[in-house]
Amino acid sequence: MSRILADIIKSKWRELVGTARVLWDELTVAELIDSEGDPQKLANLIEQRYEMTHEEAEKQVISFFERSRTV
């Protein structure tokens, strides 16, 4: 994932928390806000909560960020 895309997501993360919450409903709003839109923090949370590999969690985060770039 490009650094520019990550920066864009971080800058509008609070706006995207609701959408992220729909996708990852086992994460709390507080956890999502605390992640600050950081791809690694978010992937770590998803990996732990959904008991998946880190690679799969990263793929989900990248996919979410790619879809959210036009929001």
Side-chain angles (χ1 to χ4, degrees):
M1 174 177 11
S2 76
R3 176 84 176 144
I4 293 170
L5 176 57
D7 289 343
I8 290 169
I9 296 299
K10 279 185 176 186
S11 72
K12 59 183 191 173
W13 182 241
R14 286 196 176 255
E15 298 169 36
L16 295 171
V17 166
T19 306
R21 177 80 167 87
V22 170
L23 183 60
W24 298 298
D25 62 349
E26 291 185 22
L27 299 178
T28 67
V29 171
E31 288 173 319
L32 290 167
I33 290 171
D34 289 346
S35 76
E36 301 172 332
D38 180 274
Q40 286 306 309
K41 288 180 184 177
L42 193 53
N44 289 338
L45 282 170
I46 294 165
E47 176 186 4
Q48 293 168 4
R49 193 62 46 85
Y50 290 90
E51 298 179 359
M52 64 177 60
T53 65
H54 192 73
E55 289 88 18
E56 182 58 36
E58 284 181 326
K59 285 179 188 176
Q60 286 190 16
V61 170
I62 290 168
S63 176
F64 174 77
F65 279 22
E66 290 286 333
R67 287 190 316 268
S68 299
R69 84 165 72 210
T70 58
V71 172

